[in-house]
Amino acid sequence: MNTRKLIGPFAQLLTMAGMPLKGPLADNRLEVIENAGIVVEKDNIVQIGFFDDLKLTEKTIEPVSGHLTVLPGFIDVHTHICWGGSRAGDYAMRLSGRTYLEIAAEGGGIRSTVANTRAAGESELTGITADHANALLKQGITTIEVKSGYGLTAESELKMLRAIQAASSKGGSDLISTCLAAHIKPPDFTGSAIEYLEFVIAHLLPVVKEQNLAQRVDIYIDKGAFSVNEGRYYLAEAKKMGFDIVIHADQFYTGGLELAFELNAVSADHLEATPEKDIERLAASDVIPVALPAASLGLGASFTPARKILNAGATLVIASDWNPGSAPMGRLVTAAAILGVYEKLTMAETLAALTFRAAPALRLSDRGMLKPGMLADFIAFPGSDWREIIYNQGAMEPRYVWKRGIRQNDKP
């Protein structure tokens, strides 16, 4: 069966190709093709060009209606969308003046979500995760990283990872799982933090690897979570087992990014507290900085110093951090647009942080750009001016979303 087809016409097409992975980006660096079409065969893009030229040779055309701007599907590299329960009470306490760390120390925060997630069945968690993933897909997010970390027992962490895998098979987006069993030391674990990590290394990670439930391991390095020394031991052991490693780093206190440099982590996520000296080191390293502005908004905290990171010559990725506690918004483009306002990011830098610069944070090389050979993951927004996407700060959602060349939705 021939699955080759021409999709279009699009008033504007942003390829997001031909630009550097690191450093500042001016808007005039974006490659914009007018009156464009995309030729898709099976899962991949085979040709991009002027629609009127392409339709002369293509037998099958999938038409779209209205003036549209098309660009690669967004990639969200840091989420916690598999959870049970709610943290509305925590949010109310923060608005009353309590801090995130104070609430956590009194049994709220992550501990509250752990109790609710442990109580939820696997099928319930699968449904919750799929619902969250579908909400992100409607926003144009076609690849989503999802962490465990609200189980904190071998059984519950495996339950979460299986639920993430099952949700991926149900929805349109690709879900990339990460084992975050080292989120915090479980409140009911009687040993020390290092003894808990030894338990995870001995009894959980081998099963995760054997059952192919995740290829990535994360740890939260901060006050109230794990120390730099504990993280060093844990991540080194995870690397020996063949996992990619990432770190929740420098959210409230420093030290996590230093460890990311030392162990050559794939990414260091948060970085709100990162000092100037470490920002300068980012450009020369392979560690990818991931900003999570929705967490800053949810906590009333400072933003990741995105402008300084780019000016230092490093890359920048922006993710939603959608979770029930610090970042319940679940709106990637809104959070990214707000970060852009406060950090003075160009629109090109913001879109790059959601597309081709985001893909390497998940070790993906087949998406994030529109060009031959890439996955046919793309999204079309209403209008013929690409700047409207960031200008509307997430209020404008895609009219069409394609995943591997298959249209997922159709908005009026």
Side-chain angles (χ1 to χ4, degrees):
M1 178 178 176
N2 186 3
T3 60
R4 185 182 176 107
K5 60 186 175 182
L6 167 63
I7 304 173
F10 301 106
Q12 288 189 331
L13 183 149
L14 277 68
T15 67
M16 303 306 296
M19 293 185 289
L21 282 171
K22 293 185 175 185
L25 289 173
D27 288 346
N28 62 13
R29 296 289 302 273
L30 291 172
E31 180 183 32
V32 181
I33 302 174
E34 309 282 346
N35 187 31
I38 304 174
V39 181
V40 171
E41 188 167 13
K42 296 183 179 178
D43 292 345
N44 297 320
I45 297 169
V46 295
Q47 194 172 357
I48 287 173
F50 295 114
F51 183 83
D52 291 341
D53 294 339
L54 294 172
K55 71 180 182 180
L56 297 176
T57 56
E58 296 302 323
K59 295 180 180 179
T60 303
I61 297 176
E62 182 180 305
V64 298
S65 60
H67 295 286
L68 298 168
T69 295
V70 67
L71 66 160
F74 295 139
I75 300 168
D76 194 344
V77 308
H78 184 128
T79 82
H80 304 255
I81 61 172
C82 181
W83 80 74
S86 170
R87 298 254 286 279
D90 285 10
Y91 193 74
M93 284 191 282
R94 286 204 301 276
L95 294 179
S96 299
R98 308 298 297 281
T99 70
Y100 180 85
L101 293 178
E102 286 172 346
I103 294 167
E106 295 175 9
I110 294 169
R111 290 171 173 82
S112 171
T113 302
V114 167
N116 286 304
T117 303
R118 287 179 178 178
E122 186 173 323
S123 61
E124 180 183 357
L125 288 177
T126 298
I128 291 168
T129 306
D131 287 346
H132 290 154
N134 286 333
L136 292 174
L137 181 67
K138 291 176 183 177
Q139 300 173 39
I141 303 165
T142 53
T143 300
I144 307 165
E145 186 266 8
V146 188
K147 301 180 189 297
S148 66
Y150 293 131
L152 305 186
T153 65
E155 178 183 358
S156 293
E157 287 290 303
L158 291 171
K159 175 180 70 175
M160 288 189 71
L161 291 169
R162 288 193 299 267
I164 295 166
Q165 195 169 77
S168 185
S169 68
K170 289 177 177 291
S173 297
D174 290 330
L175 305 189
I176 310 296
S177 56
T178 299
C179 181
L180 181 57
H183 206 170
I184 59 170
K185 182 175 81 71
D188 54 351
F189 187 85
T190 57
S192 66
I194 201 73
E195 288 172 332
Y196 172 67
L197 295 176
E198 289 173 340
F199 170 82
V200 172
I201 291 165
H203 300 286
L204 175 59
L205 294 188
V207 181
V208 172
K209 177 64 72 171
E210 178 185 351
Q211 297 185 9
N212 197 30
L213 293 174
Q215 302 302 319
R216 296 159 44 87
V217 164
D218 195 352
I219 188 171
Y220 183 19
I221 304 291
D222 220 319
K223 185 175 181 179
F226 295 97
S227 71
V228 170
N229 285 337
E230 289 161 351
R232 178 181 293 109
Y233 162 72
Y234 178 69
L235 292 176
E237 292 300 312
K239 284 190 76 170
K240 290 178 186 176
M241 299 173 71
F243 289 101
D244 288 336
I245 60 169
V246 297
I247 303 177
H248 279 59
D250 292 10
Q251 183 176 14
F252 300 107
Y253 295 89
T254 61
L257 182 55
E258 288 269 7
L259 183 61
F261 291 144
E262 178 185 333
L263 297 179
N264 194 30
V266 176
S267 72
D269 304 14
H270 277 296
L271 307 184
E272 295 93 339
T274 297
E276 294 268 357
K277 64 179 180 65
D278 287 343
I279 291 174
E280 295 298 323
R281 294 178 61 189
L282 273 168
S285 80
D286 294 326
V287 177
I288 297 170
V290 179
L292 305 173
S296 298
L297 292 167
L299 297 173
S302 60
F303 289 109
T304 301
R307 181 75 268 153
K308 290 181 178 179
I309 287 171
L310 286 168
N311 286 348
T315 190
L316 177 75
V317 176
I318 303 173
S320 74
D321 194 20
W322 191 3
N323 72 74
S326 61
M329 176 192 295
R331 303 292 299 186
L332 175 60
V333 177
T334 297
I338 292 171
L339 179 68
V341 170
Y342 281 89
E343 288 294 310
K344 300 297 183 287
L345 304 181
T346 67
M347 290 187 178
E349 288 165 343
T350 300
L351 291 174
L354 308 179
T355 55
F356 77 94
R357 286 183 167 179
L362 297 177
R363 300 282 203 202
L364 299 172
S365 59
D366 60 354
R367 64 199 76 188
M369 290 181 273
L370 299 183
K371 66 178 186 179
M374 289 288 186
L375 276 183
D377 291 0
F378 47 93
I379 55 183
F381 287 85
S384 54
D385 184 345
W386 64 269
R387 295 172 299 180
E388 295 282 346
I389 299 167
I390 301 301
Y391 169 65
N392 279 276
Q393 298 182 323
M396 177 191 291
E397 291 191 347
R399 181 173 297 166
Y400 302 110
V401 176
W402 286 267
K403 180 63 185 175
R404 298 177 186 267
I406 304 299
R407 189 184 295 183
Q408 304 294 311
N409 70 338
D410 190 344
K411 290 192 174 185

Short mmCIF file of all heavy atoms in Angstrom, two decimals, residues 48-87:
data_model
loop_
_atom_site.label_atom_id
_atom_site.label_comp_id
_atom_site.label_asym_id
_atom_site.label_seq_id
_atom_site.Cartn_x
_atom_site.Cartn_y
_atom_site.Cartn_z
N ILE A 48 10.22 18.67 1.15
CA ILE A 48 9.59 19.93 1.55
C ILE A 48 9.84 20.94 0.44
O ILE A 48 10.94 20.97 -0.14
CB ILE A 48 10.16 20.44 2.89
CG1 ILE A 48 9.65 19.59 4.05
CG2 ILE A 48 9.78 21.91 3.14
CD1 ILE A 48 10.28 19.91 5.37
N GLY A 49 8.85 21.74 0.13
CA GLY A 49 9.05 22.75 -0.91
C GLY A 49 7.80 23.54 -1.15
O GLY A 49 6.86 23.55 -0.33
N PHE A 50 7.75 24.21 -2.31
CA PHE A 50 6.58 24.99 -2.67
C PHE A 50 5.44 24.05 -3.04
O PHE A 50 5.60 23.14 -3.86
CB PHE A 50 6.90 25.94 -3.82
CG PHE A 50 7.92 26.98 -3.47
CD1 PHE A 50 9.17 26.99 -4.07
CD2 PHE A 50 7.62 27.96 -2.52
CE1 PHE A 50 10.11 27.95 -3.73
CE2 PHE A 50 8.56 28.93 -2.20
CZ PHE A 50 9.80 28.93 -2.80
N PHE A 51 4.29 24.27 -2.46
CA PHE A 51 3.15 23.38 -2.65
C PHE A 51 2.77 23.26 -4.13
O PHE A 51 2.51 22.15 -4.63
CB PHE A 51 1.95 23.87 -1.84
CG PHE A 51 0.76 22.97 -1.92
CD1 PHE A 51 0.67 21.86 -1.11
CD2 PHE A 51 -0.28 23.22 -2.81
CE1 PHE A 51 -0.43 21.02 -1.17
CE2 PHE A 51 -1.37 22.39 -2.89
CZ PHE A 51 -1.45 21.27 -2.06
N ASP A 52 2.74 24.37 -4.83
CA ASP A 52 2.32 24.35 -6.24
C ASP A 52 3.26 23.51 -7.09
O ASP A 52 2.82 22.88 -8.07
CB ASP A 52 2.25 25.77 -6.80
CG ASP A 52 1.10 26.57 -6.18
OD1 ASP A 52 0.18 25.94 -5.61
OD2 ASP A 52 1.13 27.81 -6.24
N ASP A 53 4.53 23.48 -6.76
CA ASP A 53 5.49 22.63 -7.49
C ASP A 53 5.30 21.17 -7.12
O ASP A 53 5.31 20.28 -8.00
CB ASP A 53 6.92 23.07 -7.19
CG ASP A 53 7.25 24.45 -7.72
OD1 ASP A 53 6.54 24.92 -8.64
OD2 ASP A 53 8.19 25.07 -7.21
N LEU A 54 5.14 20.90 -5.83
CA LEU A 54 5.04 19.52 -5.37
C LEU A 54 3.78 18.83 -5.88
O LEU A 54 3.80 17.63 -6.18
CB LEU A 54 5.08 19.47 -3.84
CG LEU A 54 6.40 19.90 -3.18
CD1 LEU A 54 6.23 19.99 -1.67
CD2 LEU A 54 7.52 18.92 -3.52
N LYS A 55 2.69 19.55 -6.01
CA LYS A 55 1.44 18.91 -6.41
C LYS A 55 1.45 18.47 -7.88
O LYS A 55 0.59 17.68 -8.29
CB LYS A 55 0.25 19.82 -6.14
CG LYS A 55 0.12 21.02 -7.04
CD LYS A 55 -1.11 21.83 -6.67
CE LYS A 55 -1.30 23.02 -7.60
NZ LYS A 55 -2.51 23.81 -7.25
N LEU A 56 2.42 18.94 -8.63
CA LEU A 56 2.53 18.52 -10.03
C LEU A 56 2.96 17.06 -10.16
O LEU A 56 2.66 16.41 -11.16
CB LEU A 56 3.51 19.42 -10.78
CG LEU A 56 3.12 20.91 -10.88
CD1 LEU A 56 4.24 21.70 -11.55
CD2 LEU A 56 1.80 21.07 -11.65
N THR A 57 3.67 16.57 -9.14
CA THR A 57 4.22 15.20 -9.22
C THR A 57 3.62 14.24 -8.20
O THR A 57 3.79 13.02 -8.33
CB THR A 57 5.74 15.23 -9.04
OG1 THR A 57 6.05 15.86 -7.79
CG2 THR A 57 6.41 16.00 -10.17
N GLU A 58 2.94 14.75 -7.19
CA GLU A 58 2.40 13.88 -6.15
C GLU A 58 0.97 13.46 -6.48
O GLU A 58 0.14 14.30 -6.85
CB GLU A 58 2.44 14.58 -4.78
CG GLU A 58 3.84 14.89 -4.30
CD GLU A 58 4.72 13.66 -4.17
OE1 GLU A 58 4.18 12.59 -3.76
OE2 GLU A 58 5.92 13.76 -4.46
N LYS A 59 0.68 12.18 -6.36
CA LYS A 59 -0.63 11.64 -6.74
C LYS A 59 -1.68 11.82 -5.64
O LYS A 59 -2.86 12.00 -5.92
CB LYS A 59 -0.50 10.16 -7.09
CG LYS A 59 0.36 9.89 -8.32
CD LYS A 59 0.44 8.40 -8.61
CE LYS A 59 1.29 8.13 -9.85
NZ LYS A 59 1.39 6.67 -10.11
N THR A 60 -1.23 11.74 -4.37
CA THR A 60 -2.17 11.82 -3.25
C THR A 60 -1.92 13.10 -2.48
O THR A 60 -0.79 13.38 -2.07
CB THR A 60 -2.00 10.61 -2.31
OG1 THR A 60 -2.19 9.41 -3.06
CG2 THR A 60 -3.00 10.67 -1.17
N ILE A 61 -3.00 13.88 -2.28
CA ILE A 61 -2.90 15.14 -1.56
C ILE A 61 -3.85 15.11 -0.36
O ILE A 61 -5.01 14.76 -0.49
CB ILE A 61 -3.23 16.34 -2.47
CG1 ILE A 61 -2.22 16.43 -3.61
CG2 ILE A 61 -3.23 17.65 -1.66
CD1 ILE A 61 -2.52 17.53 -4.62
N GLU A 62 -3.31 15.46 0.80
CA GLU A 62 -4.12 15.64 2.00
C GLU A 62 -4.27 17.15 2.22
O GLU A 62 -3.34 17.80 2.70
CB GLU A 62 -3.46 14.99 3.21
CG GLU A 62 -4.28 15.12 4.50
CD GLU A 62 -3.59 14.45 5.69
OE1 GLU A 62 -3.27 13.25 5.59
OE2 GLU A 62 -3.39 15.14 6.70
N PRO A 63 -5.40 17.71 1.90
CA PRO A 63 -5.53 19.17 1.95
C PRO A 63 -5.77 19.67 3.37
O PRO A 63 -6.27 18.95 4.24
CB PRO A 63 -6.75 19.43 1.08
CG PRO A 63 -7.58 18.20 1.23
CD PRO A 63 -6.60 17.06 1.38
N VAL A 64 -5.38 20.92 3.60
CA VAL A 64 -5.70 21.61 4.84
C VAL A 64 -6.46 22.88 4.48
O VAL A 64 -6.35 23.38 3.36
CB VAL A 64 -4.43 21.95 5.64
CG1 VAL A 64 -3.70 20.69 6.05
CG2 VAL A 64 -3.50 22.87 4.86
N SER A 65 -7.22 23.39 5.43
CA SER A 65 -8.05 24.56 5.13
C SER A 65 -7.57 25.78 5.88
O SER A 65 -7.10 25.68 7.02
CB SER A 65 -9.51 24.27 5.51
OG SER A 65 -9.61 23.97 6.89
N GLY A 66 -7.68 26.92 5.24
CA GLY A 66 -7.34 28.19 5.88
C GLY A 66 -5.86 28.49 5.80
O GLY A 66 -5.04 27.70 5.33
N HIS A 67 -5.51 29.69 6.28
CA HIS A 67 -4.11 30.10 6.34
C HIS A 67 -3.47 29.50 7.59
O HIS A 67 -3.97 29.68 8.70
CB HIS A 67 -4.01 31.62 6.38
CG HIS A 67 -4.52 32.28 5.13
ND1 HIS A 67 -3.82 32.28 3.95
CD2 HIS A 67 -5.66 32.96 4.88
CE1 HIS A 67 -4.50 32.92 3.03
NE2 HIS A 67 -5.63 33.35 3.56
N LEU A 68 -2.37 28.79 7.39
CA LEU A 68 -1.74 28.05 8.48
C LEU A 68 -0.24 28.24 8.48
O LEU A 68 0.38 28.38 7.41
CB LEU A 68 -2.04 26.55 8.36
CG LEU A 68 -3.51 26.12 8.44
CD1 LEU A 68 -3.64 24.66 8.02
CD2 LEU A 68 -4.04 26.32 9.84
N THR A 69 0.33 28.22 9.68
CA THR A 69 1.79 28.21 9.85
C THR A 69 2.18 26.88 10.45
O THR A 69 1.65 26.48 11.50
CB THR A 69 2.24 29.36 10.77
OG1 THR A 69 1.94 30.61 10.14
CG2 THR A 69 3.73 29.28 11.04
N VAL A 70 3.11 26.17 9.81
CA VAL A 70 3.48 24.84 10.26
C VAL A 70 4.93 24.83 10.73
O VAL A 70 5.79 25.52 10.17
CB VAL A 70 3.26 23.79 9.13
CG1 VAL A 70 4.21 24.02 7.96
CG2 VAL A 70 3.39 22.37 9.65
N LEU A 71 5.20 24.04 11.77
CA LEU A 71 6.55 23.89 12.31
C LEU A 71 6.65 22.53 12.97
O LEU A 71 5.64 21.82 13.11
CB LEU A 71 6.88 25.02 13.30
CG LEU A 71 6.11 25.12 14.62
CD1 LEU A 71 6.91 25.95 15.61
CD2 LEU A 71 4.75 25.75 14.42
N PRO A 72 7.85 22.11 13.38
CA PRO A 72 7.99 20.78 13.98
C PRO A 72 7.15 20.65 15.25
O PRO A 72 6.90 21.63 15.97
CB PRO A 72 9.48 20.70 14.32
CG PRO A 72 10.14 21.72 13.45
CD PRO A 72 9.15 22.81 13.28
N GLY A 73 6.72 19.43 15.53
CA GLY A 73 6.04 19.16 16.79
C GLY A 73 6.94 19.52 17.96
O GLY A 73 8.15 19.30 17.93
N PHE A 74 6.34 20.05 19.04
CA PHE A 74 7.12 20.44 20.21
C PHE A 74 7.56 19.19 20.98
O PHE A 74 6.90 18.15 20.94
CB PHE A 74 6.31 21.35 21.12
CG PHE A 74 5.98 22.69 20.51
CD1 PHE A 74 4.72 23.25 20.69
CD2 PHE A 74 6.90 23.39 19.76
CE1 PHE A 74 4.40 24.48 20.14
CE2 PHE A 74 6.59 24.62 19.20
CZ PHE A 74 5.34 25.17 19.40
N ILE A 75 8.66 19.35 21.70
CA ILE A 75 9.25 18.26 22.50
C ILE A 75 9.34 18.75 23.93
O ILE A 75 10.02 19.74 24.22
CB ILE A 75 10.64 17.88 21.97
CG1 ILE A 75 10.55 17.42 20.50
CG2 ILE A 75 11.28 16.80 22.83
CD1 ILE A 75 11.90 17.32 19.80
N ASP A 76 8.66 18.08 24.85
CA ASP A 76 8.68 18.45 26.27
C ASP A 76 9.57 17.45 26.99
O ASP A 76 9.21 16.29 27.16
CB ASP A 76 7.25 18.42 26.83
CG ASP A 76 7.13 19.10 28.18
OD1 ASP A 76 8.16 19.33 28.84
OD2 ASP A 76 6.00 19.41 28.58
N VAL A 77 10.75 17.88 27.44
CA VAL A 77 11.78 16.97 27.91
C VAL A 77 11.73 16.73 29.42
O VAL A 77 12.57 15.98 29.95
CB VAL A 77 13.19 17.45 27.51
CG1 VAL A 77 13.26 17.74 26.02
CG2 VAL A 77 13.62 18.68 28.31
N HIS A 78 10.78 17.33 30.13
CA HIS A 78 10.75 17.16 31.59
C HIS A 78 9.32 17.32 32.09
O HIS A 78 8.80 18.42 32.17
CB HIS A 78 11.65 18.21 32.26
CG HIS A 78 11.77 18.08 33.75
ND1 HIS A 78 13.00 18.02 34.39
CD2 HIS A 78 10.84 18.02 34.74
CE1 HIS A 78 12.81 17.94 35.70
NE2 HIS A 78 11.49 17.93 35.93
N THR A 79 8.65 16.18 32.39
CA THR A 79 7.32 16.21 32.98
C THR A 79 7.20 15.14 34.06
O THR A 79 7.99 14.19 34.11
CB THR A 79 6.19 15.97 31.95
OG1 THR A 79 6.02 14.56 31.72
CG2 THR A 79 6.44 16.70 30.63
N HIS A 80 6.19 15.32 34.90
CA HIS A 80 5.83 14.33 35.93
C HIS A 80 4.33 14.05 35.80
O HIS A 80 3.58 14.17 36.77
CB HIS A 80 6.12 14.88 37.33
CG HIS A 80 7.52 15.33 37.58
ND1 HIS A 80 8.42 14.60 38.34
CD2 HIS A 80 8.19 16.45 37.19
CE1 HIS A 80 9.57 15.27 38.41
NE2 HIS A 80 9.45 16.39 37.72
N ILE A 81 3.86 13.69 34.63
CA ILE A 81 2.41 13.63 34.38
C ILE A 81 1.77 12.32 34.80
O ILE A 81 0.58 12.13 34.59
CB ILE A 81 2.08 13.93 32.90
CG1 ILE A 81 2.72 12.90 31.96
CG2 ILE A 81 2.51 15.35 32.53
CD1 ILE A 81 2.26 13.04 30.51
N CYS A 82 2.52 11.43 35.43
CA CYS A 82 1.97 10.20 36.00
C CYS A 82 1.90 10.39 37.51
O CYS A 82 2.93 10.31 38.19
CB CYS A 82 2.85 9.00 35.63
SG CYS A 82 2.24 7.42 36.26
N TRP A 83 0.69 10.66 38.03
CA TRP A 83 0.57 10.86 39.48
C TRP A 83 -0.86 10.58 39.91
O TRP A 83 -1.79 10.56 39.11
CB TRP A 83 0.98 12.28 39.88
CG TRP A 83 -0.05 13.36 39.67
CD1 TRP A 83 -1.20 13.57 40.41
CD2 TRP A 83 -0.06 14.37 38.66
NE1 TRP A 83 -1.88 14.66 39.93
CE2 TRP A 83 -1.21 15.18 38.86
CE3 TRP A 83 0.81 14.71 37.62
CZ2 TRP A 83 -1.52 16.27 38.05
CZ3 TRP A 83 0.50 15.79 36.81
CH2 TRP A 83 -0.64 16.55 37.02
N GLY A 84 -1.04 10.39 41.22
CA GLY A 84 -2.35 10.26 41.81
C GLY A 84 -2.62 11.40 42.76
O GLY A 84 -1.71 11.97 43.35
N GLY A 85 -3.90 11.79 42.92
CA GLY A 85 -4.27 12.80 43.89
C GLY A 85 -4.10 14.23 43.40
O GLY A 85 -3.90 14.48 42.20
N SER A 86 -4.17 15.16 44.34
CA SER A 86 -4.07 16.59 44.04
C SER A 86 -3.23 17.27 45.11
O SER A 86 -3.13 16.78 46.25
CB SER A 86 -5.46 17.23 44.00
OG SER A 86 -5.38 18.64 43.94
N ARG A 87 -2.63 18.41 44.76
CA ARG A 87 -1.87 19.20 45.72
C ARG A 87 -2.42 20.62 45.81
O ARG A 87 -1.69 21.58 46.06
CB ARG A 87 -0.39 19.21 45.33
CG ARG A 87 0.28 17.86 45.31
CD ARG A 87 1.20 17.64 46.48
NE ARG A 87 2.41 18.40 46.33
CZ ARG A 87 3.46 18.05 45.58
NH1 ARG A 87 3.44 16.93 44.87
NH2 ARG A 87 4.53 18.81 45.51
#
